[in-house]
Amino acid sequence: MTEPLRTERVYMNPPPAAQPGESWWSRYCYELTNLTPTAKAALEVDCRYIVDRGVFGDGSPDPENWPASRVRTGVVMGSVQSGKTASMLGVSAMAIDRKVDVVVVLGGTRVSLWRQTYGRLISQLDGGPDTAKKRSRRLLCPAERVALSENNPRLADVYRITPAEIRRKLRSNHPIIVVAMKQTDHLQALGRTLREGLYSAVAAMDRPVHMLVLDDEADDGSILDAVVESGRNPAYDHLKQVPRAIANLWDPAEPTPANLYTTYIGYTATPQANLLQEDHNPLAPRDFLVSLRTPLDIGHMVDPADPDAPRSSTYPEPKGIEAYYTGGEVFYRRGDRAGLCIPTTPNTNQDLADAIRAFLVAGAIRLHRSEKLGPASAAGARFDSHDRAIEAVSEPHSMLFHPSANIQEHFAAAVQVLRWAGVGTDAEARAMLESGAAYLPEALIATLDSDSAGWKVWLDRYRSSAAAIENEFNLLGSSPIPDWDEAKRLLSEEVIPGTRVAVINSDPAADDRPVYDPVQDSSTGLWAPARDLSTIFVSGNVMARGITLEGMTTALFRRTSNNPVADTQMQMQRWFGYRGSYIELCRVFADQAQLDLFCAYHDVDEAIRTAIIESMADGDAPEPVVLQGRDFAATGKIANIGRVPLLPGAKPFIDIINSSDAPDPNANLVAEVFASGPSHDLSVDGVLRGRILDEPLSLGEAADLLDGLRYASYAPGDASQQAALWSQLESRVASLQPLGAAEGLYRPPTVGAGDAPRSACPYGIAAYLRLWEACLTRPVRGLFVTGQPGDLWSMLDLQQTVAQQPQFWVGIRFGQGPDISTDPLAGLDFPIKATQKGSESGRVTTTWGSNNPNAGPNQYRGDEYFDYYHRGEPLPPGAGDSAWRPVGAPGQILFYVNQRPNQPHPVVAVGVSIPAGGPEQFAATRATLI
């Protein structure tokens, strides 16, 4: 008898699904299902830092420890489309757990952004079904039925909270949570509610009441420029009311209860304007600055157990590239060999064709990888649940075409897209756009055969990009790319017929925002997939703030500006985000000059971020300096911004001199230098011009020489604005590799305030030479290259910069006066003929001398090139104008020993010639109101 087949059955009870805890933080974490464990740990550590050092940086609200204003203000710097809202909600959760009483979230300047933030808050921070228990644990304003209503409720009703409700929540230690739109009328309505209901309830409490205000996109609408305000025309009094209305939430005209304390936190990816605000502006960050981190494959590890662990702008994400944040570091630096950025050409039609083909072929590749319904098939499909309508179809795929800031040009550009694709007339294309169903026509499918080369080339380019990304990020393999036959099938059947063209701007005829959520049919109960599964969005400024394009692979950026500003154009880069799983398919088409600007913006952005991180690690670190470029400003939101370079030009002349009534200590310095090594006379065209050392000095030695100069009437200290600038830069340099010298880069002769630093300051020039020496081995961010202002120091080949570092020849320029007869200069083994420059108020009135623009090859051109004649080298191109000495050329320090008749003692002036190729920084500063 055959034994029956026996099958082993194992019965087990699976572990119960994770359940949210009772704390606000645990419930919030429970909702963050899309974050990796490492990302969630980084979020928790950063939120805890913000709560500990920011919200409660002065401890729990207390009149003895908090500022007299009872207000703390700060800024949190994130990255464009990196997850700032997640941090904002996490801080809210932790703050509520720490017994903050009122949380006000300012959620955008447009209704769509406000509702987007509100939706995130009620689904994540305040998630779960709307039960009595949920309602009892907090007071939410506005109520969900009001905030998401399609009607147009009165603002007084939107922000209505009865005093009795407020009193009950405060007494029971349950939070009041408000999501307000950052618009004047909304803020004023909320302010009335707080004055009429909150303040009286707070005054009745026998304890401090703590309000936390979180301002999303804090550089948008929340900047108060005191210079502009002081000269404002009363007719335009409304223009700067948003920041005033925000501050009025806790500081209205009438006194607030003495037990009300407020923490204001501005969240932004571009804090330039926030940092440049005057301190007396109510929203300026006075108490703390924080920088958030993003996941990549480099940086310090996240250590949840150690809040003081070393930080960096990125942290290693073990999950790999699909979880990386792909911002400027990927697009402009590490993705360079992958060709992610493509310069446009004078042929705008060809650029448009390339961009659209790149987008559509990328869509076919992504659809091939997904093995799900494509956009054309999904349009007619219906599903029995919301989740199924998401799971069964391919992920959204988007392109951004940014033609200009002009609204009418957006519609013209959208028409251009449709006409290129084969729509017959402009009128037909415009009608399609107005209908909201401007799908690409069948005529475009025919070009898959008639112009197959123009399509096929993108498969090859994406394969090449995939290989480059694989190599750059050490991937074990890359995702598949189909052959042409399969790509052509997907393009013709799904991608082209399923791709819509849409205009998103402030015009009423435009779509309000992308739709990525399935929609339920109320009559059948079935769910239709999201509308924007494959869309070419044409937009301008409205897309530069807050709205996210999911699955964006392609951007055509035609916008240009005669006066570019970093913060505005950083926000326009909507291709940043978490696109690692398909980064090889991403392309940014823009003018080469614009791409260079984007790269420079990223560099100075990283410099600010590094400075904030250094400040977080060391409470004594200097405040970050806001940086810009020679050809772009940091921000346009603050008036009277200046641009302060590190160096006063290629040929700075230190015209400060001591009084001739007493021996000049700088004469001793010159004597010591020329007594310490061999030197020779320098004659040109039969005329003795001076003396020069036989061996040049290194960068550090030249810096030490300049730092040895001393003046009775000029002694800047280490507490000046220049000293702060150098201290901040030194901190940034040392963050890459510690500096060996304990004295620092900038070594002024006085401790304390001292004299106001001058432009051609010997100690500033010495600090610059030390910086150059330090940067030879450090790719410091935020630095440009002298003589080549479009180049970034962090992108240079440092081996080459070491080989090209300058040495400095040291000379004495002789004049037409008598020989110097007083020691120590008279004790040298060669006579020095005095120069006889005029002087006034402690300065020589003429600087570089002997300027002969008509000098021939063997004649003396000028003192700026004194050392060239010693070496017998031809003068550099452009000699005589303001051009820098070429990269790799030596520098020069030239002393003038000046003594006019009847002056008892000679005095020393000095000029410095500096070659190109060194580091340069442009700090943004603004005038302070008096």
Side-chain angles (χ1 to χ4, degrees):
M1 182 176 176
T2 306
E3 283 278 348
L5 181 65
R6 296 183 177 182
T7 304
E8 182 181 22
R9 285 184 167 83
V10 177
Y11 297 91
M12 59 177 290
N13 293 320
Q19 297 295 322
E22 286 303 310
S23 73
W24 283 84
W25 174 256
S26 63
R27 285 197 298 269
Y28 178 57
C29 282
Y30 176 76
E31 300 294 337
L32 299 179
T33 57
N34 60 327
L35 293 186
T36 69
T38 304
K40 192 175 291 188
L43 175 66
E44 179 175 0
V45 171
D46 286 353
C47 288
R48 199 169 302 284
Y49 184 99
I50 295 167
V51 172
D52 289 345
R53 311 289 180 90
V55 181
F56 292 98
D58 287 326
S60 296
D62 182 284
E64 294 185 4
N65 298 323
W66 272 57
S69 64
R70 307 191 307 279
V71 178
R72 286 176 54 80
T73 59
V75 161
V76 174
M77 181 183 183
S79 299
V80 174
Q81 299 198 137
S82 66
K84 295 184 296 297
T85 303
S87 172
M88 196 164 59
L89 297 180
V91 166
S92 299
M94 285 189 179
I96 293 172
D97 287 334
R98 293 275 293 271
K99 304 306 179 185
V100 164
D101 300 281
V102 183
V103 174
V104 178
V105 178
L106 304 179
T109 57
R110 292 171 57 85
V111 171
S112 59
L113 298 182
W114 172 49
R115 286 179 171 169
Q116 178 176 287
T117 301
Y118 186 94
R120 284 279 298 275
L121 186 143
I122 62 174
S123 66
Q124 295 181 348
L125 177 65
D126 194 34
D130 189 19
T131 62
K133 180 180 179 182
K134 177 179 177 178
R135 290 192 294 272
S136 69
R137 72 181 182 225
R138 51 68 174 157
L139 193 162
L140 179 64
C141 175
E144 186 173 350
R145 57 180 173 76
V146 176
L148 302 182
S149 171
E150 293 301 324
N151 299 323
N152 190 22
R154 296 185 313 141
L155 288 181
D157 295 330
V158 171
Y159 297 106
R160 184 184 304 281
I161 313 175
T162 66
E165 289 179 292
I166 293 175
R167 285 194 298 270
R168 282 196 299 270
K169 293 304 178 187
L170 290 180
R171 288 170 182 165
S172 61
N173 290 314
H174 290 145
I176 299 165
I177 303 172
V178 182
V179 185
M181 183 175 168
K182 196 163 56 173
Q183 196 267 349
T184 305
D185 293 342
H186 284 249
L187 292 168
Q188 290 175 346
L190 175 59
R192 283 192 295 271
T193 293
L194 298 182
R195 289 193 299 274
E196 295 168 2
L198 179 68
Y199 294 166
S200 59
V202 170
M205 301 293 293
D206 59 357
R207 63 172 178 84
V209 174
H210 194 173
M211 179 165 68
L212 171 63
V213 179
L214 299 161
D215 186 356
D216 194 14
E217 305 291 355
D219 66 310
D220 184 25
S222 304
I223 302 302
L224 187 63
D225 187 320
V227 173
V228 173
E229 290 292 295
S230 66
R232 175 177 83 238
N233 186 328
Y236 301 97
D237 191 64
H238 65 286
L239 291 179
K240 284 291 182 179
Q241 290 305 302
V242 168
R244 294 181 185 279
I246 293 173
N248 284 347
L249 297 179
W250 62 82
D251 186 24
E254 61 270 24
T256 57
N259 60 329
L260 177 65
Y261 294 79
T262 303
T263 303
Y264 167 85
I265 304 179
Y267 271 80
T268 177
T270 48
Q272 289 91 330
N274 305 81
L275 297 174
L276 286 168
Q277 287 188 103
E278 297 286 354
D279 281 347
H280 56 258
N281 290 341
L283 305 184
R286 294 184 297 273
D287 300 292
F288 58 91
L289 297 172
V290 179
S291 177
L292 302 178
R293 295 175 279 188
T294 53
L296 203 61
D297 59 342
I298 54 175
H300 290 296
M301 298 287 292
V302 174
D303 187 353
D306 183 4
D308 296 319
R311 299 173 62 95
S312 49
S313 62
T314 62
Y315 61 86
E317 170 52 72
K319 187 175 180 180
I321 193 168
E322 63 185 80
Y324 293 169
Y325 171 71
T326 51
E329 192 67 13
V330 173
F331 275 93
Y332 308 132
R333 298 172 72 90
R334 299 184 62 183
D336 181 59
R337 293 186 178 181
L340 303 185
C341 296
I342 300 178
T344 52
T345 70
N347 188 336
T348 57
N349 288 332
Q350 185 59 49
D351 293 336
L352 179 66
D354 281 344
I356 297 175
R357 288 191 185 114
F359 167 68
L360 296 173
V361 172
I365 295 172
R366 294 187 68 203
L367 180 56
H368 170 75
R369 293 173 180 176
S370 75
E371 298 182 343
K372 296 182 179 181
L373 282 179
S377 298
R382 296 296 180 267
F383 302 91
D384 58 6
S385 72
H386 175 277
D387 290 347
R388 183 58 184 159
I390 294 176
E391 294 167 358
V393 302
S394 57
E395 293 183 343
H397 184 60
S398 305
M399 171 181 169
L400 172 62
F401 182 8
H402 189 146
S404 77
N406 188 309
I407 290 176
Q408 292 308 311
E409 289 189 28
H410 302 162
F411 288 99
V415 167
Q416 184 184 11
V417 170
L418 291 169
R419 290 298 307 277
W420 173 83
V423 173
T425 66
D426 287 4
E428 183 182 354
R430 184 65 184 243
M432 293 170 64
L433 291 167
E434 291 173 353
S435 73
Y439 288 90
L440 297 180
E442 289 188 11
L444 185 59
I445 297 174
T447 66
L448 297 174
D449 290 319
S450 63
D451 187 15
S452 60
W455 294 90
K456 287 180 179 179
V457 69
W458 283 105
L459 289 176
D460 295 333
R461 289 172 180 171
Y462 289 140
R463 290 190 185 97
S464 176
S465 296
I469 292 294
E470 183 180 340
N471 182 65
E472 173 62 33
F473 291 96
N474 296 311
L475 306 180
L476 295 178
S478 55
S479 299
I481 292 178
D483 60 23
W484 170 240
D485 288 341
E486 175 63 6
K488 178 181 174 183
R489 182 187 71 80
L490 294 172
L491 285 165
S492 60
E493 295 178 3
E494 293 289 349
V495 179
I496 291 176
T499 296
R500 190 173 72 97
V501 181
V503 177
I504 295 184
N505 58 30
S506 55
D507 191 292
D511 292 334
D512 182 43
R513 57 193 295 260
V515 177
Y516 296 120
D517 284 328
V519 177
Q520 188 176 29
D521 186 330
S522 58
S523 62
T524 65
L526 297 178
W527 292 82
R531 178 185 66 183
D532 289 311
L533 292 179
S534 183
T535 311
I536 299 172
F537 294 103
V538 183
S539 186
N541 290 345
V542 70
M543 194 60 74
R545 183 71 65 170
I547 296 178
T548 298
L549 293 184
E550 293 190 16
M552 181 175 170
T553 59
T554 313
L556 175 56
F557 192 92
R558 283 186 182 164
R559 179 170 178 160
T560 59
S561 173
N562 293 327
N563 299 292
V565 291
D567 57 353
T568 299
Q569 292 206 353
M570 276 293 291
Q571 291 286 356
M572 292 177 183
Q573 298 173 80
R574 311 316 291 176
W575 43 92
F576 288 178
Y578 292 86
R579 312 195 190 281
S581 61
Y582 54 88
I583 187 63
E584 75 279 7
L585 306 179
C586 292
R587 290 295 185 273
V588 178
F589 294 80
D591 179 80
Q592 183 62 63
Q594 184 63 58
L595 292 173
D596 291 342
L597 282 173
F598 284 151
C599 188
Y601 299 154
H602 168 66
D603 209 64
V604 298
D605 176 81
E606 280 296 301
I608 296 173
R609 199 178 307 278
T610 298
I612 293 177
I613 290 171
E614 287 300 300
S615 179
M616 292 168 64
D618 181 359
D620 296 327
E623 293 184 1
V625 172
V626 176
L627 301 177
Q628 51 192 5
R630 193 189 72 171
D631 299 323
F632 64 87
T635 180
K637 302 181 181 79
I638 301 292
N640 297 339
I641 289 182
R643 182 179 283 108
V644 180
L646 293 174
L647 195 65
K651 305 168 188 175
F653 194 95
I654 303 164
D655 60 356
I656 315 161
I657 54 171
N658 287 308
S659 170
S660 62
D661 294 337
D664 184 358
N666 296 327
N668 294 337
L669 178 67
V670 173
E672 290 173 5
V673 169
F674 277 83
S676 63
S679 61
H680 285 82
D681 286 339
L682 189 152
S683 296
V684 181
D685 197 21
V687 178
L688 180 63
R689 301 290 179 171
R691 189 87 173 182
I692 192 166
L693 291 178
D694 287 354
E695 296 294 332
L697 305 182
S698 69
L699 282 161
E701 291 168 338
D704 290 342
L705 175 58
L706 293 174
D707 266 336
L709 295 167
R710 287 294 181 269
Y711 302 94
S713 62
Y714 179 64
D718 60 3
S720 66
Q721 185 178 11
Q722 176 166 295
L725 186 72
W726 280 108
S727 179
Q728 194 279 328
L729 180 52
E730 179 181 320
S731 176
R732 216 166 74 227
V733 172
S735 70
L736 294 174
Q737 179 183 331
L739 292 167
E743 300 93 337
L745 300 176
Y746 181 58
R747 305 174 186 177
T750 299
V751 175
D755 297 312
R758 301 181 180 183
S759 174
C761 170
Y763 316 114
I765 297 171
Y768 174 80
L769 299 182
R770 289 195 184 92
L771 171 69
W772 193 337
E773 186 175 55
C775 287
L776 293 173
T777 55
R778 297 171 175 87
V780 183
R781 298 296 181 95
L783 298 179
F784 296 86
V785 181
T786 55
Q788 303 165 150
D791 291 348
L792 300 173
W793 187 270
S794 62
M795 301 286 282
L796 296 180
D797 180 342
L798 291 184
Q799 275 192 316
Q800 189 174 17
T801 65
V802 170
Q804 294 175 338
Q805 66 177 299
Q807 295 179 309
F808 281 76
W809 294 90
V810 180
I812 302 174
R813 178 67 166 97
F814 294 170
Q816 301 298 315
D819 290 351
I820 299 297
S821 59
T822 57
D823 286 334
L825 292 174
L828 293 172
D829 59 2
F830 59 88
I832 299 174
K833 288 189 174 295
T835 58
Q836 297 184 312
K837 294 176 181 288
S839 62
E840 183 179 339
S841 302
R843 296 189 179 194
V844 292
T845 54
T846 54
T847 56
W848 296 103
S850 302
N851 186 1
N852 180 11
N854 298 315
N858 298 317
Q859 296 175 310
Y860 193 69
R861 176 63 180 81
D863 291 353
E864 301 100 310
Y865 308 103
F866 182 89
D867 58 308
Y868 274 83
Y869 294 97
H870 167 69
R871 298 189 305 276
E873 294 178 0
L875 301 188
D881 58 23
S882 60
W884 294 82
R885 291 184 174 206
V887 174
Q892 170 187 254
I893 297 174
L894 188 63
F895 291 106
Y896 295 79
V897 182
N898 204 65
Q899 187 174 26
R900 294 177 66 85
N902 302 320
Q903 289 183 341
H905 298 281
V907 293
V908 173
V910 59
V912 184
S913 293
I914 301 175
E920 180 60 287
Q921 171 181 288
F922 300 96
T925 60
R926 62 158 302 160
T928 302
L929 290 181
I930 298 176

